[in-house]
Amino acid sequence: MTPAAARELPRWATAGLLPVLNLTAAFVVSGLVVLVIGEDPLKVVRLLVWGAFGFEEAIGYTLYYATSFIFTGLAVAVAFHCGLFNIGGEGQAYIGGLGVALVCLNLDGLPFWLLAPLAIAGGALFGAAWAYVPAYLQAYRGSHVVITTIMFNFIASATMVYLLVNVMIQPGQMQPESRAFSADARMPFMHQALAGIGIDLAASPLNLSFVWALICCLLFWLFIWHTRAGYALRAVGANPTAAIYAGISPARQTMIAMLISGALAGCLGLNELMGVQHRLLLEFTGGYGFVGIAVALMGRGHPLGIVLAAILFGALYQGGAELSFELPRITRDMVVVIQGLIILFAGALEFMFLPLLTRWLIRV
Amino acid sequence: MSKRMFLAAIIVILATPVTSMAVAADIQPAIVYDLGGKFDKSFNEGVFDGASAFKKNTGIEYRDFEIQNDSQREQALRNFARRGNDPILAVGFSQAAAVEKVAKEFPTIHFAIIDSMVNQPNVQSIVFKEQEGSFVVGVLASMAAKSGKIGFVGGMDIPLIRRFACGYIQGARYANANVEVFQNMTGTTGAAWSDPVKGGELAKSQFDRGADVVYHAAGGTGIGVLQAAADANKLGIGVDSNQNHLHPGKVLTSMLKRVDVATQQTFMEARAGTWKPGLKVLGLKENGVGWALDENNKALITPTMKAAADKATADIAAGTIQVHDYMADNHCPTK
């Protein structure tokens, strides 16, 4: 995945300097666009940063978005390590949310410490189940996982609409959504949880799912780099032929990677449904499954990188919202343009500055 | 400091609160649009048009915000409330939960929501009886269809759109008990609101099965439905805003849902101090829904048809005809 030139450079240059250069380039180009529509780019950047990190509530929102992106970013990354491109994070998260909601709606009499692990299991199980069919088709029938997972996104969407419109809707309700989760089936907000131990925070949608996201990062790191199973998975990703020679079955690893990927994506529902919306509703995934691809790419498949990239995208979402709120001339579409430029420079043109950087570093 | 300057300073200080009070007397309305966005050529844009008209008539500026995802609903409402914007209008039924929550946090600020109901002492809920307007265009469609077959193309398959369909069928059966109705929904996701190609295909298939008139309640998708009707030399029926002009002579009529009027009305009420919380149901009687008759479709509506539509309108307004509301029990009495 990495060009040969990158391996000659010290790690701080490829993992630190290069992303910073890419980001700067993205911001410079965005600044030019902002200039064209007649706003002051410096003011825009200031508002963006202030909107994302300027006050407690803003940080809460940024981390809340980041939580969702960590789940989907890890999901995409684990498949990457096995050489698979899972574009179905969106659908797996959608169905995973169904699992979370079913637990929250049906078992809400249970105490939270019992309900939370069950909800996690529900989300992970449903997400993994949704990834199972594309994984099987890839592993044993050779249908490309990119195509099948995209198709499964649509099937997931249609299934959820059917369920919400015809089965789970509350009669007499306008909105196709389930009833609200009862109070004990909600993930505590961070400001509530921390108020319990005397730390006072502004109210924001940030909830305890964030902690689970960080635990997932740790488990991910342990699994990929410190277990035999993780090694087998990476071996298939690096060279399937060599893996077969070493006695590793690529088909089996494909199944494992996709199931873990689906399970991680399925956890999105914890943050969005159990954490914030407190009911099952349409399109709660909001494209986060796709943002996960950019997050995983930018984070280079490493949990630390994914957390940082997730926070960056969270900041763009939250800061962007505040920005278009403060400056009506910067519409939400404009914010998408800025996000798109960052994905372009950090993802697609990831190594654009590499030759330049190599030449420069060698000269120094 | 000379005495005169001192006096002038005193006058300025005394006058300041007065002028700022005069400014404060003007309302500062704000709008939070739904995911469709401000310029969706239909529902949200109707609100935008109403707000623009309000601005033009009164010179009062308003602020607005287009959300990008579900969690921004609350955030945007709260941001406006915190800055003292009042009244705050939330567009679309999806905002109900957010309005309820934020309205509780800011009990002194007035909120309004279109297309949903929120029971709070500071919230005005504006809903439309789409089934009544659809009933009347159903009557017209039924009478215009020589083949005795008519069609309906919905956008996203949700109860709200089934309510349009259900009212339409009731109206069609009222005018002609034996009329055959074809029904299709474009899709099951938000994309179904902006897929004119598929809308056109669905309409075409209904025309192929013999339909003479097809009514759409499909947002941007409906553009394709009306185009297909014009291409097949049949008739389409527009929705939400007056779409008769899109293909003059090929659009039988349009079912009007006057969100622009509702927007302007609620802002005007807030300005005049007559704003009231609670449910505001806009049906045929209140001119909240209706059907469009202008020079583009004058030739299509015969005097008998107009008389029948007017009679249905009057009867519904008077309560003699009860149009069943699909969303009351998620069921339509006629298929």
Side-chain angles (χ1 to χ4, degrees), chain B residues 227-290:
Chain B
Q227 182 68 52
D231 291 347
N233 207 14
K234 306 268 178 135
L235 293 172
I237 298 179
V239 81
D240 285 351
S241 49
N242 186 349
Q243 299 182 318
N244 292 359
H245 66 276
L246 290 178
H247 304 281
K250 298 289 169 226
V251 180
L252 179 64
T253 179
S254 299
M255 201 288 273
L256 304 174
K257 179 169 164 181
R258 307 303 306 267
V259 278
D260 52 337
V261 174
T263 304
Q264 227 183 322
Q265 220 175 45
T266 189
F267 285 178
M268 281 299 193
E269 286 168 5
R271 185 168 179 244
T274 55
W275 190 94
K276 276 194 204 72
L279 186 61
K280 204 166 161 185
V281 184
L282 303 177
L284 280 173
K285 201 165 127 189
E286 297 82 11
N287 270 330
V289 294

Side-chain angles (χ1 to χ4, degrees), chain A residues 190-213:
Chain A
M190 204 61 106
H191 57 92
Q192 291 169 340
L194 291 184
I197 54 169
I199 300 174
D200 201 24
L201 280 184
S204 74
L206 181 64
N207 56 73
L208 286 186
S209 312
F210 183 61
V211 178
W212 173 241

Side-chain angles (χ1 to χ4, degrees), chain B residues 283-305:
Chain B
L284 280 173
K285 201 165 127 189
E286 297 82 11
N287 270 330
V289 294
W291 61 286
L293 179 63
D294 57 18
E295 66 278 7
N296 292 318
N297 66 341
K298 216 165 48 189
L300 299 170
I301 308 283
T302 61
T304 355
M305 283 162 73

Side-chain angles (χ1 to χ4, degrees), chain A residues 57 61 64-65 157-158 161 165-166 172 174-176 277 279 282 288 318 321-322 324-326 332 336, chain B residues 35 37 63 65 67-72 75 79-80 82-83 93-94 97 115 156-157 162 188-189 327:
Chain A
E57 187 195 336
Y61 267 96
Y64 146 70
Y65 286 122
S157 172
V161 172
V165 171
N166 295 294
M174 274 274 194
Q175 176 100 322
Q277 305 291 348
R279 60 187 176 284
L282 285 180
Y288 298 161
Q318 162 59 15
E322 292 289 337
S324 59
F325 194 89
E326 294 295 334
R332 60 174 183 173
V336 174
Chain B
L35 285 167
R63 294 192 63 173
F65 186 75
I67 55 156
Q68 258 176 324
N69 58 56
D70 284 305
S71 54
Q72 282 181 2
Q75 197 184 6
N79 268 346
F80 280 131
R82 214 178 273 150
R83 273 154 235 236
F93 55 82
S94 317
D115 261 7
M156 187 175 169
D157 190 2
R162 293 188 185 183
T188 49
T189 64
M327 296 208 306

Side-chain angles (χ1 to χ4, degrees), chain A residues 12-344:
Chain A
W12 60 264
T14 50
L17 201 56
L18 203 55
V20 170
L21 267 177
N22 288 335
L23 261 185
T24 316
F27 274 118
V28 167
V29 177
S30 312
L32 291 177
V33 180
V34 168
L35 213 58
V36 168
I37 58 166
E39 286 285 358
D40 173 11
L42 282 176
K43 189 173 161 200
V44 165
V45 168
R46 215 168 42 234
L47 274 173
L48 194 73
V49 173
W50 170 83
F53 301 108
F55 45 104
E56 263 179 34
E57 187 195 336
I59 298 173
Y61 267 96
T62 300
L63 292 180
Y64 146 70
Y65 286 122
T67 309
S68 291
F69 298 148
I70 291 174
F71 286 130
T72 53
L74 288 177
V76 175
V78 75
F80 265 156
H81 281 295
C82 193
L84 298 164
F85 201 15
N86 176 16
I87 312 205
E90 189 80 2
Q92 288 143 21
Y94 213 169
I95 297 295
L98 176 66
V100 173
L102 286 178
V103 170
C104 291
L105 288 169
N106 294 311
L107 303 173
D108 52 4
L110 294 176
F112 179 74
W113 59 266
L114 197 58
L115 189 73
L118 283 174
I120 291 173
L125 200 69
F126 273 62
W130 202 250
Y132 180 86
V133 180
Y136 178 85
L137 291 175
Q138 166 76 55
Y140 298 104
R141 291 288 178 270
S143 315
H144 205 286
V145 78
V146 168
I147 307 295
T148 45
T149 48
I150 288 183
M151 289 179 177
F152 263 67
N153 286 343
F154 288 99
I155 304 176
S157 172
T159 310
M160 292 297 281
V161 172
Y162 170 78
L163 285 177
L164 281 167
V165 171
N166 295 294
V167 185
M168 298 179 77
I169 190 173
Q170 260 183 296
Q173 242 253 13
M174 274 274 194
Q175 176 100 322
E177 59 186 29
S178 76
R179 73 169 169 86
F181 301 163
S182 67
D184 44 351
R186 295 176 183 184
M187 192 70 84
F189 287 113
M190 204 61 106
H191 57 92
Q192 291 169 340
L194 291 184
I197 54 169
I199 300 174
D200 201 24
L201 280 184
S204 74
L206 181 64
N207 56 73
L208 286 186
S209 312
F210 183 61
V211 178
W212 173 241
L214 294 181
I215 294 174
C216 282
C217 285
L218 187 69
L219 294 176
F220 179 97
W221 177 76
L222 282 174
F223 171 74
I224 293 287
W225 285 285
H226 297 274
T227 63
R228 274 178 73 157
Y231 179 80
L233 202 142
R234 281 187 294 135
V236 172
N239 188 337
T241 326
I244 296 174
Y245 190 70
I248 299 166
S249 153
R252 200 180 133 76
Q253 294 308 317
T254 299
M255 295 300 291
I256 293 175
M258 283 301 287
L259 289 181
I260 296 176
S261 181
L264 284 166
C267 287
L268 179 80
L270 294 172
N271 186 38
E272 293 294 330
L273 302 178
M274 200 179 174
V276 180
Q277 305 291 348
H278 300 146
R279 60 187 176 284
L280 184 60
L281 69 171
L282 285 180
E283 313 265 320
F284 68 87
T285 45
Y288 298 161
F290 297 118
V291 177
I293 298 170
V295 169
L297 275 174
M298 218 174 158
R300 303 285 161 84
H302 191 283
L304 192 67
I306 287 171
V307 170
L308 291 175
I311 291 176
L312 172 70
F313 275 89
L316 284 174
Y317 266 63
Q318 162 59 15
E322 292 289 337
L323 178 64
S324 59
F325 194 89
E326 294 295 334
L327 300 177
R329 228 180 324 171
I330 307 276
T331 60
R332 60 174 183 173
D333 306 313
M334 192 53 227
V335 176
V336 174
V337 169
I338 297 177
Q339 286 167 0
L341 283 169
I342 288 176
I343 295 179
L344 182 70

